[in-house]
Amino acid sequence: MDRSWIKTPRISEDYQKGVEDFLQFVQQNASVLAAKYFYPSVKCVNGRRQSLNDIRSHLICEGFSPPYQNWIWHGELPHMSTTLTLRRLM
């Protein structure tokens, strides 16, 4: 999944669509506890759980934590970068 939207202005269509895509990914892959998920806003950095609507609001108001590129708290398996893998194959 493209994550370039994380660094775009929060008022842009790309950012808004990226947030919605992230929330869809979360619903499909993340573990849920009482209808709440960890959220990667700049302020909380996966330290708390919130509802999807609250996560949406926080990500739009506060921004997405840029270092959080491998979404391990949201169901994505840790993996090696594609670039590193390609270099080893050459």
Side-chain angles (χ1 to χ4, degrees):
M1 174 184 281
D2 176 32
R3 291 177 170 100
S4 62
W5 61 270
I6 293 170
K7 296 179 181 177
T8 62
R10 294 189 310 259
I11 59 170
S12 71
E13 286 183 35
D14 287 341
Y15 187 86
Q16 304 282 326
K17 182 179 179 327
V19 168
E20 294 306 318
D21 290 346
F22 172 75
L23 294 174
Q24 184 177 9
F25 180 86
V26 168
Q27 280 185 298
Q28 294 172 353
N29 298 287
S31 62
V32 62
L33 179 64
K36 294 185 178 185
Y37 303 87
F38 288 113
Y39 65 103
S41 71
V42 170
K43 184 177 178 182
C44 295
V45 193
N46 293 313
R48 298 171 48 194
R49 289 180 180 260
Q50 293 289 342
S51 70
L52 290 173
N53 284 333
D54 287 340
I55 294 171
R56 178 182 292 109
S57 295
H58 282 259
L59 293 178
I60 291 171
C61 294
E62 298 169 6
F64 196 100
S65 177
Y68 187 54
Q69 292 291 313
N70 190 346
W71 298 342
I72 60 171
W73 293 103
H74 298 92
E76 187 172 55
L77 297 175
H79 62 281
M80 295 170 46
S81 75
T82 305
T83 305
L84 181 59
T85 303
L86 289 175
R87 283 185 191 158
R88 288 186 177 173
L89 293 174
M90 297 176 104

